[in-house]
Amino acid sequence: MSKTRQTQATAAMLAIGDELLSGRTKDKNIGHFAEVMTLSGIDLKEVRIVADEEDAIVEAINALRARYDFVVTSGGIGPTHDDITADAVGTAFGLEVTEHPEAVELLETYYAGRDLDFTPARRRMTRTPVGATLIPNAVSKAPGFSVENVHVMAGVPNVFQAMLDALLPTLPAGAPLISKAIPCPYGEGDIGDPLRDIAKRHDGVSIGSYPRFAEGRYSTEIIIRSRDEAAIEAAATEVEAMLDSLASR
Amino acid sequence: MSKTRQTQATAAMLAIGDELLSGRTKDKNIGHFAEVMTLSGIDLKEVRIVADEEDAIVEAINALRARYDFVVTSGGIGPTHDDITADAVGTAFGLEVTEHPEAVELLETYYAGRDLDFTPARRRMTRTPVGATLIPNAVSKAPGFSVENVHVMAGVPNVFQAMLDALLPTLPAGAPLISKAIPCPYGEGDIGDPLRDIAKRHDGVSIGSYPRFAEGRYSTEIIIRSRDEAAIEAAATEVEAMLDSLASR
């Protein structure tokens, strides 16, 4: 089913924060990142959510960066004591974490211009593993950073999105996946068997079916994905013929 | 920070589905599960999202079930060819996957009562690893199932929620975490330093701060969590005094 994706760049995301695991905050970054990856032709393969605990963050970063082309993290880079992502990334790479000179200059100027003290807490947001590259933050200045293939970004959704916009041109691009949606008034129980047969005959495409349950009955959206438009059309023709034959039962 | 949680039961969740990683579907089950776990006094430690690929599902299930007291999965138990969770769970446990006799009886009766054919696709939804216990589905009947400490549930949110309601009484309960929210008109840059000092003095509680950025400025919600109400009050008194001193600056 995923054959068409194997030559695309692969990505993983690590969302960091106790508040996500307690249910207090509903994550909005994963869905956004997933959409942007699909539009960019990059294959998001795995997402993890872990607590603000250094061991858990280090382990997840090391597992994901070894396995996928790159990793994006969200959360834990603010100025409070529970913001430990920079330290965890340093530990994961065996790098010392220090104030990044460019980040210090950036925030010094920013806070001076707003008549705010550059407190030790705010200075915390300039800390990165040695040698990191900054990721600009168009919303509130305090930058994210990249170390090798790990890109560390904020958890606040509009800041995460701004950082991702800045990061995107530097990421490996792939041929975008094309998809075709076919609405289907039948539940998966009706279309499961014929759909499986069609999928077997069309190796170059991925055929997914996504059930909805509303007002006491199922309906389905059938999504055909490929990087080859002709292959999508060939499969779509068979799916539509199958739906027609169900309608005339 | 999480000392108070170590004796609680620990949980992990695995959300399964290409549609979550493509951004097409925004997951609603993780946030719901997280909230229910917090209310139940169970510590949700990790969430993963993987594609509809057997190897990825098997690996995640085996990693999570070994590490946490139990694992809940969502997605991939419908009647179509891309619903492979039952097979993956079978592989993870080294168990054969066959039609579960109780599930067959349940669905046979259900579809007969609705004048629907019990198609091979629908029969697929009766397949579980040998020896699995069914999880009732009050919404649309096709059941989830449990194998040891792994609980396999649907991805459709109202079905996931119904299955979780049924599963909940069988899960290990813990003493609920109590939390107190203190709204704070200052950004994390202002409160980061004093909050860290307070956190250092109060070992038995977890103090988190959750920034919001709206209309060009940050505000914060400070959350103090513990299983000990007196410990929360002691820390809250210090936090409130700290906010008062900032207000009178």
Side-chain angles (χ1 to χ4, degrees):
Chain A
M1 217 180 89
S2 52
K3 273 180 194 163
T4 51
R5 301 187 179 185
Q6 296 307 314
T7 56
Q8 286 182 278
T10 57
M13 175 166 173
L14 176 65
I16 298 163
D18 290 359
E19 71 279 18
L20 302 172
L21 293 171
S22 74
R24 169 149 210 103
T25 298
K26 302 289 182 287
D27 172 83
K28 289 179 180 165
N29 297 324
I30 295 171
H32 176 76
F33 183 67
E35 272 180 9
V36 171
M37 290 301 98
T38 297
L39 291 170
S40 306
I42 296 168
D43 195 7
L44 175 60
K45 298 292 285 180
E46 182 170 349
V47 176
R48 297 191 189 182
I49 307 175
V50 298
D52 298 308
E53 293 173 8
E54 176 153 328
D55 291 351
I57 302 170
V58 169
E59 193 197 317
I61 285 174
N62 280 336
L64 297 172
R65 75 185 174 101
R67 182 171 307 181
Y68 305 108
D69 291 331
F70 67 90
V71 181
V72 151
T73 76
S74 66
I77 63 167
T80 57
H81 62 283
D82 57 352
D83 291 308
I84 59 171
T85 302
D87 294 289
V89 174
T91 303
F93 281 95
L95 291 170
E96 204 193 336
V97 175
T98 60
E99 293 187 354
H100 192 295
E102 277 176 61
V104 171
E105 207 187 313
L106 197 73
L107 290 192
E108 219 157 32
T109 311
Y110 176 66
Y111 289 118
R114 307 184 113 215
D115 262 335
L116 288 168
D117 292 334
F118 195 23
T119 58
R122 289 188 176 121
R123 284 195 89 95
R124 233 178 116 73
M125 295 192 286
T126 68
R127 295 173 73 251
T128 72
V130 168
T133 311
L134 300 186
I135 301 174
N137 166 2
V139 173
S140 55
K141 284 292 179 272
F145 61 85
S146 301
V147 178
E148 295 182 19
N149 64 340
V150 176
H151 309 292
V152 175
M153 314 208 289
V156 177
N158 51 355
V159 182
F160 178 86
Q161 290 168 24
M163 289 183 178
L164 183 57
D165 290 345
L167 179 69
L168 209 53
T170 73
L171 295 176
L177 216 55
I178 310 163
S179 71
K180 177 164 188 161
I182 302 178
C184 162
Y186 312 108
E188 289 195 311
D190 289 306
I191 59 167
D193 293 326
L195 208 58
R196 179 160 47 242
D197 293 340
I198 296 171
K200 270 186 204 152
R201 285 194 295 276
H202 293 267
D203 244 2
V205 303
S206 148
I207 303 182
S209 64
Y210 304 105
R212 304 226 163 98
F213 186 81
E215 292 165 27
R217 64 190 309 272
Y218 278 105
S219 65
T220 313
E221 189 163 48
I222 299 168
I223 309 285
I224 308 176
R225 295 191 185 86
S226 177
R227 288 190 292 165
D228 175 352
E229 200 165 345
I232 289 182
E233 286 311 320
T237 302
E238 284 205 39
V239 169
E240 280 155 0
M242 180 269 285
L243 294 179
D244 286 346
S245 80
L246 283 178
S248 60
R249 262 188 325 192
Chain B
M1 215 179 92
S2 53
K3 274 180 191 163
T4 52
R5 300 188 179 184
Q6 296 307 316
T7 57
Q8 285 184 279
T10 57
M13 175 167 173
L14 175 64
I16 298 163
D18 290 359
E19 71 280 16
L20 302 173
L21 293 172
S22 74
R24 169 150 210 102
T25 298
K26 301 289 182 288
D27 172 82
K28 290 180 179 162
N29 297 325
I30 295 170
H32 176 76
F33 183 66
E35 272 180 8
V36 171
M37 288 303 97
T38 298
L39 290 171
S40 305
I42 296 168
D43 193 9
L44 176 59
K45 297 292 285 180
E46 182 171 350
V47 176
R48 297 191 188 183
I49 308 176
V50 297
D52 297 307
E53 293 173 8
E54 176 152 329
D55 291 352
I57 302 170
V58 170
E59 193 197 317
I61 285 174
N62 280 336
L64 297 173
R65 76 185 173 100
R67 183 170 306 180
Y68 304 108
D69 291 330
F70 67 91
V71 181
V72 153
T73 76
S74 65
I77 63 167
T80 58
H81 62 283
D82 56 352
D83 290 308
I84 59 171
T85 302
D87 294 288
V89 174
T91 303
F93 281 94
L95 291 171
E96 203 192 339
V97 175
T98 59
E99 293 187 353
H100 192 295
E102 276 175 61
V104 172
E105 205 185 315
L106 197 72
L107 290 191
E108 219 156 35
T109 310
Y110 177 64
Y111 289 118
R114 307 182 115 216
D115 260 336
L116 290 167
D117 291 335
F118 196 24
T119 58
R122 289 187 176 121
R123 285 195 89 96
R124 232 177 116 72
M125 295 191 287
T126 67
R127 296 174 71 250
T128 72
V130 169
T133 311
L134 300 186
I135 301 173
N137 165 1
V139 174
S140 55
K141 283 292 180 267
F145 61 85
S146 302
V147 179
E148 296 181 18
N149 65 339
V150 176
H151 308 291
V152 175
M153 316 208 287
V156 176
N158 53 353
V159 182
F160 178 86
Q161 290 168 24
M163 287 182 179
L164 183 57
D165 290 345
L167 179 69
L168 209 52
T170 73
L171 295 176
L177 216 55
I178 309 163
S179 70
K180 176 164 190 161
I182 302 178
C184 163
Y186 311 108
E188 289 195 311
D190 289 306
I191 59 166
D193 292 326
L195 208 57
R196 178 162 47 245
D197 293 339
I198 296 172
K200 271 186 204 152
R201 284 195 295 274
H202 292 268
D203 244 3
V205 304
S206 147
I207 304 181
S209 64
Y210 304 105
R212 305 227 163 98
F213 187 80
E215 294 166 25
R217 63 190 309 271
Y218 278 105
S219 64
T220 313
E221 189 163 50
I222 298 169
I223 309 287
I224 307 175
R225 296 189 185 85
S226 176
R227 288 189 293 165
D228 175 350
E229 200 165 344
I232 289 182
E233 286 311 321
T237 302
E238 285 204 38
V239 169
E240 281 155 0
M242 180 268 286
L243 295 179
D244 286 346
S245 78
L246 284 178
S248 60
R249 262 192 321 192

